[in-house]
């Protein structure tokens, strides 16, 4: 039933409504914007933490040091057996000579320290590349390493499983913090918008009565409020995202390698903010525009 | 009259007093009817056993002392209130079967004006009148045409761009009238439309209402203005403590612009009704418009 004339009218009303309460409207946008900024900030931290976790997991090869005096045949059998284990992707042999070379490379300038040694103290070892699903499950990884450690010929297994355990824990904490912050932000954003809309509705109660008297439907009366709430939400979301982008750019110049939201996530964030604004004003209307 | 008889209902429909409200009005010209309507606020009856039939094109004054229930009656017709008992039928809308979502549709078919004008004060004259068309879904070109027409008709087109609060009371009421008629309603309700206006301006407003009525719109006007009722009263409904204590009619005693139209209106809804009073009782019923202060 409603055509372009009505759409234009409702949009214009929404903007006029915002223009009428420029100050309280801006304050609401600022408050909602800071709440959203918190949410975005925590999400960014989580994303970066996750990236660190992923890259650490990428080089968590376990190292199984071999007992001395292992014969060539035994060693090859052991390698076969380890390779056949579920969760082991590859097994590389590192001879003591290769080990000391690597060590030398790692030391770089300080390599001359090794010159005081008259014999190679490093044992031979297997470098064991673990399957992805094992790396992502600290418990399984620990169990597998235990199995490897009990093979005859294996002296000791070292890995970064404890570090991963810590990072996993930290990751979980951050997800919980994200959820809590997200919930608080949701509630406060809805509350802030709902509050300004409530004030406007009360202030315009007389006009609203007149509109009803003339035959305006509830939706026709609500729509400008919903639109202006959505608009405030979008502004707040864009504000938060803009500030965070600037902060990221600065940090990127200083440190580098900091991840930011992808374009899809940015759009999603602003859409979410817009919806929050609309929901905020809808709750105010439900309570204060009993028609 | 030309209604197709319903075999199950013929007996009930035979006499107006045993009329079955669900069947709708007997006469196709009836546009408003109320059947045994009570309106109660808590224990207080604002209206009590009100029966009223209004035909297309009638002009009715509703009189009675303050608190008698005049405004309450109009609020029942716009379905701001619903009867505690009984039933109100306005056009195709029946109070007992009214869904809330249909109330706006009813309001678009009724023009309403009030003592306090009820204009949107942050808008100009044009937008106030246009709003009534906007909610109906009319396109902008047609809105412009219609609003221009009614504003010219009430003589305020030259003030279309002024904010309504800058207008005089009489002008504001004319804007309200323009808004009330822009959707060409069959019914116009006026609740003390001249209550805030001085006599000269009141006359202008009443003249507009008569012109609207002449064009075929039924007008129901609540008023305290004895002189106006005495001068123009054609059908007068008197309310006292929520009850209709008089529902009388006569030809308007003075020759007016409306006289011919009145004379042509042969139909009178209460001609056979028990409440019909003879013309000689008219003066007695109406002279003490606001209760017994005159006798
Ligand atoms: N919302 C309400 N709640 C309680 N009582 C009400 C309400 N509205 C009206 N009334 C009562 O109903 C009665 C009729 O009121 P109404 O406004 O219809 O009178 P009225 O004839 O229009 O009076 P006036 O000439 O002063 O405008 C009054 O006694 C009034 O106090
Ligand atoms: Mg009243």
């Amino acid at each position: 039933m409603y055509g372009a004339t009505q759409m234009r009218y409702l949009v214009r009303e929404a903007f006029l409504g915002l223009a009428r309460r420029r100050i309280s409207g801006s304050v609401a946008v600022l408050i909602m914007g800071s709440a959203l900024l918190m949410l975005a900030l925590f999400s960014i931290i989580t994303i970066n933490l996750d990236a660190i976790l992923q890259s650490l997991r990428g080089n968590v090869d376990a190292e199984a040091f071999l007992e001395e005096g292992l014969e060539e045949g035994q060693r090859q059998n052991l390698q076969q057996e380890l390779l056949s284990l579920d969760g082991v992707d590859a097994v590389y042999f590192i001879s003591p000579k290769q080990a000391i070379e690597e060590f030398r490379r790692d030391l770089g300038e300080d390599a001359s320290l090794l010159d005081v040694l008259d014999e190679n103290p490093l044992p031979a070892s297997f470098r064991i590349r673990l399957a992805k699903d094992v790396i992502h499950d600290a418990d399984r990884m620990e169990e597998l390493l235990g199995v490897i450690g009990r093979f005859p010929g294996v002296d000791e297994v070292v890995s970064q499983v404890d570090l991963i355990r810590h990072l996993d824990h930290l990751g979980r904490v951050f997800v919980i913090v994200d959820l809590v912050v997200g919930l608080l932000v949701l509630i406060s954003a809805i509350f802030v918008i709902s509050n300004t809309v409530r004030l406007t509705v009360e202030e315009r109660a007389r006009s609203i009565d007149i509109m009803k008297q003339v035959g305006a439907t509830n939706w026709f009366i609500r729509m400008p409020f919903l639109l202006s709430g959505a608009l405030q939400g979008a502004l707040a979301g864009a504000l938060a995202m803009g500030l965070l982008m600037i902060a990221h750019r600065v940090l990127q110049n200083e440190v580098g390698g900091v991840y930011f939201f992808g374009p899809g996530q940015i759009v999603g964030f602003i859409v979410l903010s817009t919806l929050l604004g609309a929901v905020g004003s809808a709750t105010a209307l439900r309570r204060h525009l009993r028609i | 009259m030309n209604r197709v008889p319903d075999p199950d209902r013929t007996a009930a429909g035979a006499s107006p007093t045993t009329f079955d409200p669900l069947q709708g009005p007997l006469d196709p010209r009836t546009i408003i009817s109320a059947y045994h309507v009570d309106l109660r606020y808590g224990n207080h009856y604002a209206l009590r056993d009100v029966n009223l039939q209004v035909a297309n094109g009638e002009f009715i004054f509703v009189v009675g002392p303050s608190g008698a229930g005049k405004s309450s009656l109009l609020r029942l017709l716009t379905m701001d209130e619903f009867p505690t008992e009984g039933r109100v039928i306005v056009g195709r809308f029946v109070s007992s079967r009214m869904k809330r979502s249909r109330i706006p549709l009813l309001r678009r078919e009724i023009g309403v004006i009030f003592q306090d004008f009820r204009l949107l004060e942050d808008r100009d004259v044009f937008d106030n009148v246009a709003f009534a068309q906007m909610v109906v879904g009319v396109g902008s070109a047609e809105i412009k045409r219609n609003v221009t027409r009614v504003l010219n008709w009430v003589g305020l087109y030259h003030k279309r761009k002024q904010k309504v609060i800058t207008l005089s009371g009489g002008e504001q009421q004319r804007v309200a009238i323009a808004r009330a008629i822009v959707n060409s309603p069959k019914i116009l309700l006026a609740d003390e439309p001249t209550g805030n206006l001085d006599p000269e301006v009141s006359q202008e407003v009443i003249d507009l209402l008569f012109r609207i009525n002449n064009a075929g719109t039924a007008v129901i006007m609540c008023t305290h203005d004895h002189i106006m009722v005495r001068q123009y009263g054609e059908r007068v409904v008197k309310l006292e403590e929520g009850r209709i204590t008089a529902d009388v009619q006569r030809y308007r005693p003075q020759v007016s612009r409306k006289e011919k139209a009145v004379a042509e209106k042969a139909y009178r809804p209460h001609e056979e009704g028990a409440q019909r009073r003879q013309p000689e009782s008219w003066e007695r019923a109406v002279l003490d418009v606001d209760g017994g202060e005159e006798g």
Side-chain angles (χ1 to χ4, degrees):
Chain A
M1 177 182 64
Y2 287 143
T5 304
Q6 280 68 26
M7 298 304 143
R8 260 201 316 277
Y9 167 83
L10 292 172
V11 170
R12 203 190 55 182
E13 275 300 296
F15 278 97
L16 279 180
L18 275 185
R20 257 196 299 266
R21 52 198 157 93
R22 234 162 301 168
I23 295 184
S24 68
S26 315
V27 170
V29 168
L30 285 181
I31 295 174
M32 186 181 175
S34 7
L36 287 169
L37 184 63
M38 287 288 286
L39 179 63
L41 195 61
F42 274 85
S43 311
I44 282 288
I45 292 174
T46 310
I47 287 175
N48 279 286
L49 200 69
D50 218 48
I52 293 171
L53 222 57
Q54 291 303 334
S55 71
L56 281 176
R57 281 200 169 107
N59 43 35
V60 284
D61 292 346
E63 192 121 14
F65 294 103
L66 303 179
E67 283 170 0
E68 266 180 69
L70 215 58
E71 304 209 343
E72 176 76 12
Q74 287 175 306
R75 201 199 73 213
Q76 279 175 1
N77 281 345
L78 182 57
Q79 188 165 11
Q80 282 311 313
E81 281 179 65
L82 289 181
L83 198 52
S84 69
L85 283 177
D86 195 22
V88 173
D89 272 3
V91 180
Y92 306 103
F93 176 65
I94 312 280
S95 69
K97 200 161 165 252
Q98 281 170 307
I100 196 96
E101 284 306 313
E102 266 184 33
F103 198 15
R104 213 178 268 287
R105 262 209 310 281
D106 287 348
L107 286 177
E109 283 182 6
D110 298 329
S112 53
L113 288 175
L114 294 177
D115 295 341
V116 297
L117 304 170
D118 32 330
E119 71 178 71
N120 183 354
L122 298 178
S125 67
F126 284 131
R127 185 157 298 158
I128 302 169
R129 175 136 306 157
L130 299 169
K132 269 226 160 52
D133 52 328
V134 177
I135 297 172
H136 282 268
D137 183 347
D139 284 336
R140 232 186 112 191
M141 183 167 165
E142 200 151 76
E143 192 189 315
L144 183 61
L145 295 177
V147 169
I148 293 171
R150 283 192 294 279
F151 269 88
V154 176
D155 188 20
E156 196 192 353
V157 183
V158 297
S159 75
Q160 289 176 299
V161 68
D162 286 339
L163 176 64
I164 288 186
R165 223 177 248 293
H166 274 114
L167 290 175
D168 275 351
H169 181 66
L170 200 59
R172 271 197 295 276
V173 168
F174 260 85
V175 168
I176 291 170
V177 171
D178 277 358
L179 287 179
V180 171
V181 170
L183 202 68
L184 288 178
V185 166
L186 237 64
I187 293 168
S188 61
I190 289 175
F191 177 79
V192 167
I193 296 299
S194 142
N195 207 41
T196 52
V197 171
R198 182 176 58 84
L199 290 178
T200 323
V201 169
E202 278 167 10
E203 174 189 299
R204 296 179 55 76
R206 193 183 137 85
S207 290
I208 289 174
D209 275 346
I210 293 172
M211 291 175 185
K212 284 192 256 177
Q213 192 69 253
V214 179
T217 56
N218 294 351
W219 275 111
F220 198 84
I221 294 172
R222 278 184 197 129
M223 200 47 87
F225 292 108
L226 289 180
L227 285 178
S228 63
L231 193 67
Q232 281 177 296
L235 285 175
L239 181 72
M241 214 23 102
L243 286 177
L244 206 59
M245 260 176 182
I246 293 170
H248 172 253
R249 187 140 302 167
V250 170
L251 202 65
Q252 187 74 1
N253 287 343
E254 298 288 316
V255 199
V258 183
Y259 285 92
F260 198 67
F261 296 118
Q265 285 166 315
I266 294 177
V267 171
F269 184 81
I270 292 177
V271 168
L272 174 80
S273 317
T274 309
L275 284 179
L276 280 182
V279 169
S281 90
T283 58
L285 292 173
R286 243 174 53 126
R287 266 189 300 170
H288 297 276
L289 195 69
R290 293 185 313 112
I291 320 187
Chain B
M1 284 179 176
N2 297 326
R3 212 171 109 248
V4 181
D6 179 344
D8 294 338
R9 305 281 191 180
T10 338
S15 124
T17 47
T18 55
F19 182 83
D20 180 353
L22 268 181
Q23 257 315 89
L26 275 178
D27 192 289
R29 283 169 292 190
T30 303
I31 193 166
I32 292 173
S33 22
Y35 300 98
H36 302 292
V37 168
D38 286 356
L39 176 62
R40 219 168 58 205
Y41 291 111
N43 289 329
H44 176 77
Y45 281 84
L47 291 171
R48 198 152 202 163
D49 196 29
V50 166
N51 290 284
L52 185 71
Q53 311 267 315
V54 180
N56 253 326
E58 271 197 285
F59 196 112
I60 301 180
F61 282 113
V62 178
V63 298
S66 185
K70 303 182 293 296
S71 302
S72 302
L73 179 63
L74 297 193
R75 279 202 302 277
L76 282 173
L77 301 182
T78 54
M79 300 200 185
D80 281 299
E81 303 281 0
F82 285 86
T84 318
E85 290 292 331
R87 189 174 270 121
V88 173
I89 304 175
V90 181
R92 59 202 166 91
F93 300 94
V94 181
S95 64
S96 54
R97 298 194 219 146
M98 194 71 179
K99 277 201 286 185
R100 289 219 154 257
S101 59
R102 282 177 26 104
I103 294 177
L105 303 182
L106 164 74
R107 305 248 170 100
R108 292 169 195 178
E109 296 183 12
I110 305 180
V112 196
I113 58 175
F114 298 93
Q115 181 171 8
D116 57 353
F117 319 131
R118 306 215 182 156
L119 299 171
L120 299 168
E121 291 180 351
D122 54 345
R123 303 180 195 206
D124 64 24
V125 168
F126 187 95
D127 285 347
N128 262 279
V129 180
F131 186 80
Q133 289 248 290
M134 190 63 82
V135 299
V136 181
V138 177
S140 57
E142 203 184 331
I143 289 181
K144 186 154 194 213
R145 204 160 49 237
N146 290 332
V147 174
T148 303
R149 174 173 53 77
V150 290
L151 280 181
N152 271 321
W153 193 79
V154 299
L156 282 175
Y157 183 69
H158 62 292
K159 300 209 167 173
R160 66 191 176 282
K161 290 198 176 128
Q162 285 192 27
K163 286 267 186 289
V164 287
I165 33 175
T166 65
L167 302 183
S168 73
E171 288 170 330
Q172 290 194 38
Q173 193 60 293
R174 273 146 66 197
V175 176
I177 290 173
R179 179 181 65 188
I181 61 169
V182 71
N183 288 331
S184 311
K186 280 271 195 317
I187 299 169
L188 181 72
L189 307 179
D191 195 350
E192 298 183 37
T194 58
N196 276 346
L197 306 175
D198 58 43
E200 203 172 311
V201 182
S202 296
Q203 187 62 49
E204 284 174 30
V205 166
I206 207 81
D207 284 345
L208 283 176
L209 295 187
F210 280 134
R211 283 171 63 193
I212 292 165
N213 181 236
N214 275 344
T217 297
V219 177
I220 301 181
M221 172 171 161
C222 300
T223 184
H224 285 282
D225 189 335
H226 308 208
I227 298 165
M228 191 169 290
V229 173
R230 206 172 300 184
Q231 198 176 356
Y232 298 111
E234 166 189 342
R235 178 178 171 193
V236 182
V237 170
K238 186 173 179 189
L239 276 169
E240 278 167 305
E241 292 176 0
R243 291 180 190 276
I244 294 186
T245 56
D247 183 348
V248 297
Q249 48 199 167
R250 61 162 189 183
Y251 293 113
R252 207 173 289 147
Q254 287 189 347
V255 177
S256 75
R257 268 176 288 194
K258 220 200 145 211
E259 194 68 6
K260 267 173 86 181
V262 168
E264 281 158 16
K265 262 193 262 163
Y267 172 71
R268 289 289 172 273
H270 284 278
E271 233 139 47
E272 293 97 13
Q275 291 164 325
R276 173 93 168 101
R277 299 210 186 171
Q278 293 309 305
E280 50 269 32
S281 68
W282 191 91
E283 284 293 319
R284 183 157 49 81
V286 175
L287 272 177
D288 53 342
V289 161
D290 278 352
E293 70 259 56
E294 280 184 69

